[in-house]
Amino acid sequence: AGWVLEAEILAHKGQPYEAHHLFSEVCKREPKHPTACGGAVSTIVASQRSADAFAYLRSQYPRMREHPGTAHHYWVSKAKVHQQMGDVPEAIISARRALGFRRDDRAALQLLIRLHIELGDSDAAQSAMNRLAIKMKGEKTDAQYVELARAVTEMTRRLTR
């Protein structure tokens, strides 16, 4: 428990790579520890070390695919690493696989919208935005939602001129 707490503190202080090492050590010893194993994945992705992140994700895939929640986390994380590497088409494939496990996951939908915007695919971005709007019906919109809506609207406006 001490290493997990220390890793959480490091992650909060903006030291994801250092936090990853502590989380992954706990995960090796306790492979079903949700905080440590999930934290190890999240922090290696946040560290922006794409090769290390891919290697770690690859090593964790057999364990993570066993449960829909961890499989979802695996695919979202893989999408983020592909995006960091500039491989937007692969990032979109991974984000869609994540949504296969949690169809209406807000964070995965927002990631998918950003990826389609980055790729310049206004139809796909609008389609994902519509899914997010339906999911959020009745919920309070946040700044991220408003920013994505504006970006999709602006992209569509530019393409129709």
Side-chain angles (χ1 to χ4, degrees):
W3 282 8
V4 171
L5 180 59
E6 188 176 342
E8 288 173 336
I9 291 168
L10 285 169
H12 184 72
K13 288 170 61 177
Q15 297 174 300
Y17 191 65
E18 294 78 4
H20 164 73
H21 289 291
L22 292 175
F23 278 135
S24 64
E25 199 54 46
V26 174
C27 189
K28 281 181 206 167
R29 293 180 177 151
E30 297 178 52
K32 301 235 185 251
H33 194 293
T35 303
C37 297
V41 170
S42 297
T43 53
I44 193 64
V45 172
S47 74
Q48 302 278 321
R49 296 174 184 230
S50 302
D52 292 341
F54 268 132
Y56 190 75
L57 284 168
R58 213 174 4 265
S59 76
Q60 294 301 302
Y61 182 68
R63 180 190 61 78
M64 293 182 79
R65 70 181 179 164
E66 294 175 3
H67 184 272
T70 55
H72 170 266
H73 186 64
Y74 170 85
W75 289 108
V76 167
S77 298
K78 192 168 182 183
K80 289 177 181 178
V81 175
H82 279 299
Q83 182 185 29
Q84 289 169 6
M85 295 176 68
D87 191 350
V88 177
E90 282 299 318
I92 288 171
I93 290 168
S94 294
R96 286 183 177 151
R97 294 214 47 191
L99 287 164
F101 290 96
R102 287 194 185 153
R103 180 171 162 55
D104 294 328
D105 180 66
R106 187 174 178 170
L109 282 167
Q110 289 173 331
L111 175 60
L112 185 61
I113 294 164
R114 275 191 227 93
L115 292 167
H116 284 304
I117 290 170
E118 199 172 322
L119 196 61
D121 187 342
S122 64
D123 291 340
Q126 186 62 59
S127 176
M129 193 71 209
N130 291 343
R131 278 179 68 186
L132 182 60
I134 290 167
K135 187 254 180 270
M136 291 184 62
K137 189 173 181 133
E139 291 181 30
K140 183 180 176 188
T141 58
D142 60 7
Q144 195 172 38
Y145 176 86
V146 172
E147 175 227 327
L148 288 171
R150 282 185 185 142
V152 171
T153 302
E154 179 59 32
M155 181 172 52
T156 304
R157 198 177 298 139
R158 273 195 320 264
L159 292 173
T160 56
R161 285 184 194 170

